Amino acid sequence: MPKAVRILIVEDSENDAELLLRELRKGGFAPEHTRVDTDKAMRAALAKESWDIIVSDYSMPHFDGISALNVMKQHSKDIPFIIVSANIGEEIAVMAMKAGAHDYIMKGNLARLIPAIEREIKEAKLRQKHRFAENEMHKLTGAIEQTSDAVMICNAQGIIEYVNSGFVRMTGYSKDEALGNSSRMLKSGRQDDSFFGVMWDTISLGDVFQDVFINKRKDGSLYYEEKSITPLKNDRGVVEHYISTGKDITEQMQTRERLHHLSQHDLLTGLPNRLLFNDRLEQAIPRARRSGRVLAILLIDMDRFKNINETLGFDCGDHMLQAVGERLLTSTRDGDTVARLGDDEFAIILEDVKHQDDVSKIVEKILRALSEAYYIDDHELFITTSIGISLYPNDGAHPQLLIQNADVAIHHAKESGSNKYRYYETKMNAQSLYRLNLESSLRKALEREEFFLLYQPQIDLVTHEITGFEALLRWAHPELGTVSPVEFIPLLEETGMIKDVGRWILRKACQTCKSWHNKDLGNVSIAVNLSPVQFEGSQISDIVSNILKETELTANYLELELTESTIMRNPENAAITLTKLSGMGITLAIDDFGTGYSSLSYLQKFPLDTLKIDRSFVNDITENKGDASIVSAIISMAHSLGLTVVAEGVETTEQLTLLQEKKCESVQGFLFSKPITEIEVEEMLKEWSKQSVFLDLVSSN
Ligand code: C2E
Ligand code: MG
Ligand code: MG
């Protein structure tokens, strides 16, 4: 099939033009043509249509080949231009070629015409393709230059061959500084060989590698670059270049790091939180396994921290926690982890310690540091702490067990008093299990009505009358039988259950006392023990007043027993609460007096009525002169402060006689009665009013 070609013939001779066309048709072309022979006509033809080739005569009456060439150039179209003319001589031919003609053919020898046209059309197409590619390239580089991303092209050896302005801005290196250098110039050393190993493995296989690089700028500062590196293959499929495009995400990373830090640290103290603590412990274990050195986990709990919050406010509590954190940090070494796990719970990982003895030394140092006075918001404060310790690997092979066992140890530390530490021992678990069981059945005891009260009479040593009873709690455990309050009250206090149980005790005691009054068994009073936990906060006076209303017991018949330590935990609060209770007409007694450290003169500040001398002093008064003189000192001082005295735990007539001599007002103890049931109380009251049981009891002993 003939090839279509559009040909513009610049020729004054119609015959010559026809000759040309014939030649073309012969050569397998189907020419479409226009013939022009003036400047104007040529311009019109160029403007009107697009041409594959221009064939021009050299000299014409009104036009010439060189001018025709110029017109074509002005038109700025790259159309192959062939001069076909009679012999014009070599010089002119060369000039025409220089001016831009693509070929020169003599009219007498048209045999070269067809190959020349074919060649020129082909070359023009090639030129056009190149121009297009160049144009594309130009646009592309323009775009690459303008993007804010850093673009870098390296050869297979990692030598930089191209960088854009984004690269210059991001790295601080000029193009000249970068080109010819190795891409390694950006390495910060923050990512290990394995990172770059994976990168090279990926890209040399021809795959794209994407990740965040921590790179170094010319000025040495680091930046995060989210980069993808694309391998560029040549025609044979061999990777010859890599193109890297990257975004500077330093700010995002910094925000992310800050968030990460926040998620792993305690806001208040800046110490690692439980999450990071667990993480660090996880990492410390294999290190300890390898080194064979001691790894200790310390749990540190502040006793009664809640009190500080409640009485001095949360700000003060916060400052206290910060101060504790600081003291823990200064008491430990740099490599150790000090963390805050919860409210007032801190933890430490001691690593790389030689002997367990050294752990004890560090722990003692910590306890000493924590027990020194804190000066916070104009207050001088002291705290006591308990520390539980577990050691790897003896006390557990994994973090959870180590923490759990340190927790078991801390409970034992707390039980042994304040500012104590205990190492975990296997036998603690059995005890803890017992406690755990006790605790879970204790939780159900109230609703299952397993609690009951016993009552122990108090006898006036002058009138010999029963003046009242102390209500004492018992727990009828379904399997263990009756459990002593000494065993389960601390548990009730620790778990906070004492608040509910305490309310039940108060109500039950008041109800029972009221029922004795209603039965005309005498106007006896009822003494109820209050736990320090019940005394915390400000609700106890409301609770008591509501229960009195509910049970219709007159306030005068209720006596509340508190220990010295209950008051001393928070003297300011205690003064307010006690004043309220006393104002309601309730009698207030200090229980177990002598076992605490408070001085009588200090207790004078509080509206107290009665002082109960602890059983441990009464026990020995007949044998131990020291105890006897302490008891008489207590009695006379109490009297001078206007307090009446009750002696607890009176078991013998000798003790009774001695107490009578010392003018002790009342006694309570097994000599008269063990704690008895409500029904037994009723019997006792009836008997007592009929005859002088007091003397019978005393003389029969
Ligand atoms: P407490 O308030 O000092 O109670 C006196 C304790 O001494 C009672 O022990 C009582 O049974 C015992 N006792 C009385 N006379 C004698 C005696 O002559 N010899 C001996 N050896 N012991 C005597 P109990 O009932 O085991 O209570 C122990 C402690 O448990 C109480 O000491 C009190 O602190 C606490 N408690 C008992 N009931 C309650 C309660 O309802 N609420 C609270 N918060 N604590 C309670
Ligand atoms: Mg008591
Ligand atoms: Mg007592």
Side-chain angles (χ1 to χ4, degrees):
M1 217 175 74
K3 290 169 275 181
V5 65
R6 275 158 307 157
I7 177 163
L8 179 62
I9 302 173
V10 187
E11 176 63 69
D12 57 317
S13 151
E14 231 173 276
N15 284 344
D16 285 358
E18 196 44 52
L19 258 166
L20 267 174
L21 291 168
R22 206 180 307 151
E23 203 58 33
L24 277 166
R25 286 190 199 101
K26 255 192 348 202
F29 284 102
E32 216 180 276
H33 83 284
T34 296
R35 184 181 63 84
V36 294
D37 57 0
T38 62
D39 180 291
K40 198 175 161 198
M42 182 174 175
R43 285 178 199 279
L46 282 174
K48 201 171 151 208
E49 276 174 72
S50 62
W51 301 101
D52 293 323
I53 192 149
I54 301 172
V55 177
S56 174
D57 193 2
Y58 186 72
S59 59
M60 288 159 277
H62 307 292
F63 205 25
D64 65 88
I66 299 297
S67 306
L69 245 176
N70 284 334
V71 171
M72 192 271 288
K73 276 200 240 157
Q74 277 165 22
H75 196 69
S76 75
K77 273 193 179 147
D78 177 19
I79 307 171
F81 193 98
I82 298 175
I83 289 181
V84 181
S85 90
N87 196 354
I88 48 174
E90 209 162 304
E91 243 172 73
I92 292 180
V94 169
M95 189 192 76
M97 300 297 272
K98 272 188 182 160
H102 293 100
D103 206 346
Y104 162 67
I105 290 165
M106 281 193 290
K107 278 186 180 168
N109 182 12
L110 284 181
R112 273 188 64 235
L113 181 70
I114 297 302
I117 286 182
E118 274 175 344
R119 186 194 66 231
E120 287 309 323
I121 288 180
K122 198 167 146 201
E123 278 187 6
K125 274 196 183 132
L126 254 171
R127 280 200 303 278
Q128 194 183 9
K129 215 162 135 193
H130 275 143
R131 261 199 313 279
F132 182 75
E134 240 168 53
N135 200 8
E136 285 294 289
M137 195 61 172
H138 188 72
K139 275 196 270 181
L140 213 65
T141 35
I144 289 177
E145 273 306 307
Q146 276 170 39
T147 168
S148 60
D149 293 2
V151 179
M152 169 174 85
I153 298 176
C154 299
N155 67 14
Q157 287 70 46
I159 302 300
I160 303 173
E161 294 190 350
Y162 170 85
V163 293
N164 71 343
S165 311
F167 175 96
V168 173
R169 275 194 301 276
M170 200 178 290
T171 65
Y173 288 108
S174 70
K175 289 191 180 182
D176 282 347
E177 284 167 327
L179 299 184
N181 236 314
S182 163
S183 58
R184 242 173 295 153
M185 72 197 276
L186 302 174
K187 251 176 127 170
S188 66
R190 287 297 190 91
Q191 284 159 310
D192 55 16
D193 291 345
S194 68
F195 176 85
F196 290 98
V198 173
M199 178 195 88
W200 280 112
D201 287 350
T202 312
I203 56 178
S204 50
L205 282 174
D207 293 325
V208 177
F209 180 79
Q210 276 176 318
D211 213 322
V212 175
F213 287 67
I214 305 171
N215 282 342
K216 197 169 69 184
R217 297 192 184 88
K218 186 182 173 185
D219 65 8
S221 59
L222 300 185
Y223 66 101
Y224 289 92
E225 189 179 353
E226 191 178 50
K227 211 191 238 292
S228 45
I229 304 178
T230 313
L232 301 177
K233 292 181 188 167
N234 65 12
D235 300 343
R236 284 165 289 125
V238 179
V239 175
E240 267 188 348
H241 287 95
Y242 301 103
I243 173 158
S244 139
T245 55
K247 266 191 181 33
D248 187 340
I249 55 160
T250 310
E251 254 175 57
Q252 282 144 270
M253 288 304 276
Q254 280 165 347
T255 314
R256 202 186 305 176
E257 269 174 10
R258 265 199 300 278
L259 285 175
H260 186 65
H261 182 87
L262 284 180
S263 74
Q264 294 210 318
H265 288 80
D266 164 46
L267 226 54
L268 183 66
T269 58
L271 295 175
N273 62 13
R274 189 181 285 276
L275 208 75
L276 187 54
F277 177 82
N278 288 343
D279 218 44
R280 296 253 178 101
L281 187 51
E282 196 118 21
Q283 291 167 18
I285 287 174
R287 275 201 294 273
R289 189 175 337 136
R290 281 194 297 273
S291 68
R293 309 269 277 190
V294 175
L295 169 68
I297 290 87
L298 276 52
L299 288 188
I300 300 147
D301 196 274
M302 298 161 67
D303 305 327
R304 299 192 297 275
F305 172 72
K306 237 173 56 196
N307 252 8
I308 296 182
N309 270 342
E310 277 171 11
T311 47
L312 302 174
F314 285 96
D315 275 354
C316 185
D318 285 354
H319 294 152
M320 186 81 197
L321 289 170
Q322 286 166 334
V324 167
E326 274 160 32
R327 287 190 192 184
L328 289 177
L329 279 175
T330 48
S331 315
T332 48
R333 292 176 308 181
D334 276 353
D336 300 328
T337 296
V338 177
R340 182 175 169 226
L341 303 188
D343 300 334
D344 56 346
E345 201 187 339
F346 291 85
I348 297 179
I349 304 170
L350 293 180
E351 273 195 75
D352 209 15
V353 185
K354 243 199 213 144
H355 300 293
Q356 187 177 328
D357 288 354
D358 300 322
V359 175
S360 303
K361 279 182 205 142
I362 300 170
V363 173
E364 279 157 22
K365 186 175 156 199
I366 292 172
L367 281 175
R368 260 197 316 276
L370 294 181
S371 66
E372 271 166 33
Y374 295 80
Y375 298 95
I376 289 168
D377 305 343
D378 295 335
H379 300 285
E380 185 189 36
L381 300 170
F382 292 90
I383 52 156
T384 58
T385 39
S386 309
I387 301 184
I389 309 160
S390 66
L391 300 173
Y392 173 85
N394 287 2
D395 303 337
H398 56 85
Q400 220 185 335
L401 193 59
L402 286 166
I403 296 173
Q404 193 180 313
N405 286 339
D407 196 49
V408 171
I410 209 172
H411 280 100
H412 288 265
K414 270 181 189 287
E415 275 165 19
S416 36
S418 41
N419 285 334
K420 292 282 183 329
Y421 68 92
R422 290 287 299 270
Y423 284 94
Y424 170 76
E425 292 167 43
T426 335
K427 68 168 196 253
M428 287 177 174
N429 258 342
Q431 294 166 14
S432 303
L433 205 67
Y434 172 74
R435 270 173 58 107
L436 218 67
N437 281 334
L438 215 60
E439 193 183 309
S440 76
S441 36
L442 204 51
R443 288 194 185 275
K444 297 167 201 143
L446 192 61
E447 56 185 74
R448 291 186 182 167
E449 300 183 0
E450 290 171 0
F451 290 122
F452 63 97
L453 294 180
L454 291 182
Y455 305 88
Q456 191 179 33
Q458 290 179 350
I459 291 113
D460 186 306
L461 289 184
V462 178
T463 64
H464 298 177
E465 290 296 328
I466 295 177
T467 51
F469 289 85
E470 177 176 2
L472 294 159
L473 183 63
R474 294 292 180 270
W475 176 20
H477 189 283
E479 284 136 35
L480 300 172
T482 304
V483 186
S484 154
V486 184
E487 268 191 70
F488 68 84
I489 288 204
L491 261 174
L492 286 178
E493 288 174 339
E494 253 173 59
T495 55
M497 288 189 266
I498 191 70
K499 295 210 171 171
D500 288 338
V501 178
R503 234 187 315 236
W504 176 86
I505 297 167
L506 257 171
R507 187 178 298 115
K508 178 75 189 158
C510 291
Q511 257 169 12
T512 310
C513 184
K514 179 68 187 175
S515 78
W516 294 330
H517 293 177
N518 290 345
K519 289 176 187 170
D520 271 339
L521 293 168
N523 286 334
V524 287
S525 60
I526 187 83
V528 177
N529 293 285
L530 274 194
S531 146
V533 180
Q534 283 173 280
F535 207 70
E536 275 168 11
S538 52
Q539 288 155 351
I540 190 67
S541 52
D542 293 336
I543 292 171
V544 171
S545 124
N546 287 338
I547 288 177
L548 286 175
K549 258 185 235 147
E550 196 185 307
T551 57
E552 297 177 346
L553 180 73
T554 315
N556 301 351
Y557 295 112
L558 177 62
E559 180 169 62
L560 294 176
E561 295 190 4
L562 317 128
T563 59
E564 294 161 67
S565 56
T566 303
I567 294 181
M568 297 313 289
R569 270 191 189 191
N570 185 346
E572 289 157 41
N573 241 16
I576 298 169
T577 310
L578 293 179
T579 309
K580 269 195 211 162
L581 291 168
S582 165
M584 284 156 60
I586 292 162
T587 311
L588 299 172
I590 283 288
D591 202 358
D592 304 341
F593 188 79
T595 54
Y597 302 103
S598 48
S599 65
L600 260 179
S601 58
Y602 190 81
L603 291 176
Q604 195 186 353
K605 295 182 190 165
F606 305 96
L608 302 168
D609 306 285
T610 308
L611 191 149
K612 298 184 79 176
I613 304 175
D614 191 67
R615 203 169 69 218
S616 56
F617 294 99
V618 176
N619 232 340
D620 286 349
I621 40 170
T622 47
E623 275 109 52
N624 186 325
K625 282 223 159 64
D627 276 0
S629 54
I630 290 176
V631 169
S632 56
I634 293 176
I635 295 175
S636 57
M637 278 171 73
H639 287 164
S640 71
L641 296 173
L643 299 170
T644 57
V645 180
V646 179
E648 290 186 301
V650 179
E651 292 179 355
T652 66
T653 35
E654 289 79 32
Q655 290 166 345
L656 180 74
T657 317
L658 219 134
L659 289 163
Q660 260 175 322
E661 273 170 25
K662 302 205 185 283
K663 303 268 182 308
C664 175
E665 278 89 355
S666 300
V667 288
Q668 188 181 337
F670 292 173
L671 176 65
F672 297 100
S673 171
K674 290 199 166 179
I676 51 174
T677 63
E678 186 182 335
I679 309 291
E680 289 168 328
V681 167
E682 291 180 10
E683 290 302 311
M684 178 182 265
L685 285 173
K686 281 179 206 157
E687 289 286 309
W688 206 278
S689 55
K690 274 192 245 148
Q691 54 203 318
S692 184
V693 185
F694 176 83
L695 290 178
D696 290 351
L697 280 169
V698 172
S699 55
S700 66
N701 263 280

